[in-house]
Amino acid sequence: MIKTIDGAIRVAMADLYYLKRNILTVLITVLVLPLLYFISFAYGLGSTVDETEGVTYIAFVIPGIISLSTLSSCFSTTANKIMLQRRFYSSFDEIILCPVSSISVVLGKSILGIIRGLLCSTVLIVLGLLMTDDFLITPMLLITILLSCLTYCLLGVVAGFLVKGVPTFNLFNSLVILPMTFLCGTVFSVSAMPSFLQVIIAFLPLSHTTNCIRSAALGWEFPWISLVLIIIYGLLFLIVSKYLLDKGRV
Amino acid sequence: MIHIDELVIKYGDFVAVDGISLDIQTKGIYGFLGPNGAGKTTTMRALTTLLKPTSGSITIQGLDAIKDMQEIRKRIGMVQQYISLDKEISVRENIICHALLHKVPRKEILSRMKELSLMLGLEKYMDKLILDLSGGWRRRTAIACALMHRPKILFLDEPTAGLDTQSRHILWDIVRDLRDSGTMVFLTTHYMDEAEALCDHIAIIDGGKIIAEGTPVQLNNLIGKVAVDFERGGKVITKTFASRDMAKEFISENIPEDSTYSLRKTTLEDVFLELTGSGLGGVVDD
Ligand SMILES: Nc1ncnc2c1ncn2[C@@H]1O[C@H](COP(=O)(O)OP(=O)(O)OP(=O)(O)O)[C@@H](O)[C@H]1O
Ligand SMILES: [Mg+2]
């Protein structure tokens, strides 16, 4: 365990140096998207919608935006960085060539994404606390945010390993990430959707992270099944990326 | 030290390496010489465990390239043809990251980095981003990275491609120093003069096959020690001979008094052209 984490940090060092050099630009890019979501949904839409699922719209939507931004910032940071290092800098070869276990490589490549996801969530949590009294910080909120960051970073690792270049990366984005962003009950309740779509939506990981984060933040009964599903998704992405690495498909 | 047995590597249907077998025992500098697309990089990627062979086996210091992959990775260093550094961080940061990845003890990292930056003349560039460096300095950085963990075998893929003459000679000296300090160096090149000047042992590869192997002297002897260049029909023709006397005899019988010719030692270039078939009939484009 300690060896795995030690290896992961060694793998992450180059990304951390990058972060240190570009901390300002990283912060700005991390914050723009969630703030735009916040302004357009919480203020724009919020003023026209009264209550959703028994709470004010603003209290309903902030946990959704947190969930959404963990997906978008963790996934794109991780997948982009790996694609760049594999296809354009070939510096990923250096990582393959080093005597560090493949689990460490996969986790190490997730660290930059997790940091960005957490930065982004922190800002949104502060906004949530300021904007509405319904929003609570609970241990489960922090745990689910961390878990969803990790899960989406691992998805980013899988995508980064699979894509052949920018076109396939965009394809993955349009076919997997974008539909999730719009469908999974982040900014409006899933109950408004046609029932066949609800079935599909129930399988997507973002539905479950949204569900967990919202319940934890609003003090609703915690959906343990969703938490288990998030963990299963995370493990699945971990296994797939380890497999790709071990088989030399990267 | 390196043993390759019937190595075949395919990309889809395309056979890039076509049944190479080699037994490399030398401790010094081993050169893989071949034209573009010969399969040098592909072979080297298989030797460094970056690529799984389609069939055949590779053992390095008695370790199997697939089974003992991790163990081999500890013992080798590699500089790729296309410099594989993280471009958005500095030279120093690249070197440190590399050392950490290879588990160089933290106490040693700074002293080793200092030693290598001195040896490679990198001191002034340590805090520059790789993006801001020219090709030669990027390559020196990559070499510093590859040497941080004191590899027993260093693989260099086209180490001097794109370098100016001065940098090239500096690099040759570095490679020789490494050999003298006991590191085995395996390099690829398509420069004949480089192979001849630098390598203790050479394999000539073309179309995924080894077509000759030996020391530079052995290779030269394959086609004779002496070469004669002369003009015929507007073209320069080269013929090779086993001895000076045979060459002189040929000259007095075949070359008219008033035409020019030159008598010289054979070079690897002659060997290469003759063996790859591009030199059949002794035609050399000059
Ligand atoms: N990833 C790949 N997919 C398909 N074909 C490839 C791939 N990499 C190399 N090849 C082909 O395999 C052959 C050998 O390539 P390789 O890169 O090993 O040559 P090389 O001897 O290193 O040449 P160069 O001097 O240009 O570097 C070439 O014909 C090349 O087109
Ligand atoms: Mg090559």
Side-chain angles (χ1 to χ4, degrees):
Chain A
M1 183 70 185
I2 289 175
K3 225 175 135 195
T4 309
I5 293 172
D6 174 68
I9 293 172
R10 289 172 192 269
V11 171
M13 266 328 270
D15 295 348
L16 296 179
Y17 275 127
Y18 168 82
L19 181 68
K20 191 175 127 205
R21 286 190 168 269
N22 299 286
I23 189 78
L24 205 63
T25 38
V26 168
L27 271 179
I28 292 170
T29 41
V30 155
L31 295 183
V32 168
L33 191 69
L35 287 180
L36 280 178
Y37 275 127
F38 183 76
I39 292 167
S40 57
F41 287 100
Y43 277 112
L45 199 61
S47 56
T48 64
V49 181
D50 289 339
E51 279 204 341
T52 305
E53 297 188 4
V55 289
T56 57
Y57 183 70
I58 210 163
F60 174 84
V61 84
I62 290 176
I65 296 176
I66 295 180
S67 174
L68 193 62
S69 0
T70 57
L71 172 68
S72 63
S73 59
C74 291
F75 173 82
S76 62
T77 303
T78 312
N80 263 319
K81 196 86 192 162
I82 293 181
M83 180 180 70
L84 200 67
Q85 291 178 334
R86 271 183 60 222
R87 310 298 307 188
F88 298 100
Y89 297 167
S90 38
S91 56
F92 203 79
D93 282 344
E94 296 304 323
I95 295 176
I96 297 180
L97 268 180
C98 74
V100 166
S101 72
S102 46
I103 292 278
S104 294
V105 172
V106 172
L107 292 177
K109 289 320 284 181
S110 304
I111 288 180
L112 182 65
I114 291 178
I115 293 176
R116 288 180 78 151
L118 291 180
L119 277 176
C120 193
S121 310
T122 310
V123 173
L124 285 163
I125 288 174
V126 171
L127 280 176
L129 290 172
L130 292 176
M131 301 291 299
T132 161
D133 294 336
D134 295 333
F135 195 97
L136 316 162
I137 294 194
T138 59
M140 280 325 283
L141 177 69
L142 304 181
I143 291 172
T144 36
I145 288 178
L146 190 63
L147 270 178
S148 64
C149 284
L150 179 60
T151 303
Y152 296 135
C153 284
L154 292 172
L155 178 63
V157 175
V158 174
F161 283 177
L162 286 177
V163 298
K164 297 223 152 40
V166 178
T168 38
F169 176 73
N170 290 339
L171 188 70
F172 197 96
N173 229 337
S174 329
L175 290 183
V176 181
I177 305 305
L178 264 185
M180 276 215 272
T181 341
F182 281 94
L183 295 177
C184 292
T186 45
V187 292
F188 48 80
S189 171
V190 181
S191 56
M193 294 276 179
S195 54
F196 80 95
L197 261 185
Q198 288 192 27
V199 176
I200 300 176
I201 291 168
F203 283 101
L204 300 174
L206 189 62
S207 309
H208 300 288
T209 53
T210 308
N211 199 1
C212 287
I213 292 174
R214 183 170 289 142
S215 305
L218 302 181
W220 296 351
E221 195 189 332
F222 193 77
W224 294 100
I225 294 184
S226 287
L227 189 72
V228 172
L229 284 172
I230 296 172
I231 295 173
I232 291 177
Y233 268 114
L235 285 176
L236 183 74
F237 299 148
L238 183 66
I239 291 167
V240 172
S241 42
K242 178 177 157 46
Y243 172 84
L244 291 171
L245 204 55
D246 289 342
K247 285 283 159 217
R249 302 273 177 81
V250 175
Chain B
M1 275 189 147
I2 300 179
H3 187 82
I4 308 175
D5 195 31
E6 286 297 321
L7 180 70
V8 176
I9 299 169
K10 293 183 185 170
Y11 294 110
D13 284 339
F14 179 77
V15 184
V17 174
D18 191 5
I20 287 183
S21 298
L22 276 179
D23 193 26
I24 304 174
Q25 292 300 344
T26 36
K27 271 202 156 0
I29 304 169
Y30 194 93
F32 236 40
L33 175 69
N36 293 134
K40 303 182 294 291
T41 299
T42 307
T43 310
M44 192 174 264
R45 285 178 73 85
L47 288 175
T48 52
T49 74
L50 279 169
L51 199 72
K52 288 227 166 77
T54 312
S55 67
S57 72
I58 296 169
T59 39
I60 293 178
Q61 296 193 323
L63 298 161
D64 184 84
I66 292 173
K67 270 210 324 279
D68 311 313
M69 197 158 74
Q70 295 292 355
E71 199 49 45
I72 289 181
R73 289 175 178 180
K74 285 185 199 155
R75 301 178 185 208
I76 61 173
M78 185 187 196
V79 178
Q80 307 228 28
Q81 183 170 7
Y82 303 102
I83 299 297
S84 55
L85 298 166
D86 258 310
K87 309 289 186 287
E88 289 153 313
I89 58 177
S90 69
V91 171
R92 185 190 308 279
E93 287 160 350
N94 264 291
I95 296 177
I96 292 177
C97 286
H98 197 95
L100 288 173
L101 279 173
H102 284 271
K103 307 194 172 161
V104 179
R106 272 162 221 266
K107 276 178 287 178
E108 249 179 60
I109 292 181
L110 289 182
S111 58
R112 178 81 176 142
M113 181 161 68
K114 202 158 180 184
E115 188 184 318
L116 287 174
S117 62
L118 208 70
M119 173 175 132
L120 292 156
L122 272 167
E123 306 103 309
K124 271 194 309 202
Y125 299 87
M126 292 303 276
D127 290 309
K128 282 208 188 285
L129 295 187
I130 303 299
L131 275 176
D132 298 340
L133 292 182
S134 73
W137 292 104
R138 290 184 188 191
R139 203 167 289 275
R140 289 188 205 192
T141 308
I143 293 174
C145 286
L147 290 175
M148 275 304 279
H149 59 289
R150 302 178 194 275
K152 304 260 187 310
I153 306 178
L154 179 66
F155 291 89
L156 302 170
D157 197 358
E158 310 255 352
T160 59
L163 295 194
D164 60 31
T165 319
Q166 204 184 2
S167 304
R168 232 175 126 201
H169 279 97
I170 292 173
L171 218 138
W172 287 2
D173 288 339
I174 292 170
V175 171
R176 288 189 188 112
D177 284 350
L178 283 170
R179 168 192 55 196
D180 297 342
S181 64
T183 310
M184 177 192 169
V185 181
F186 186 108
L187 59 85
T188 72
T189 180
H190 59 261
Y191 298 119
M192 315 282 170
D193 56 336
E194 177 160 296
E196 196 152 20
L198 196 56
C199 299
D200 302 315
H201 233 83
I202 298 168
I204 300 181
I205 175 172
D206 190 28
K209 287 191 162 81
I210 301 281
I211 52 177
E213 211 252 342
T215 62
V217 174
Q218 283 170 342
L219 287 177
N220 281 355
N221 288 346
L222 281 179
I223 58 162
K225 290 191 174 71
V226 185
V228 176
D229 303 316
F230 57 97
E231 257 189 66
R232 183 149 301 169
K235 278 185 175 158
V236 177
I237 299 182
T238 302
K239 265 187 123 39
T240 53
F241 301 91
S243 72
R244 212 181 174 85
D245 290 339
M246 289 166 75
K248 283 195 169 141
E249 199 182 310
F250 173 82
I251 290 166
S252 61
E253 282 169 13
N254 293 283
I255 300 178
E257 289 281 333
D258 55 341
S259 72
T260 54
Y261 66 89
S262 65
L263 183 73
R264 58 176 174 79
K265 256 179 68 188
T266 49
T267 64
L268 259 189
E269 189 147 357
D270 303 316
V271 180
F272 185 79
L273 292 174
E274 186 133 340
L275 293 178
T276 55
S278 30
L280 279 183
V283 180
V284 182
D285 291 327
D286 209 354

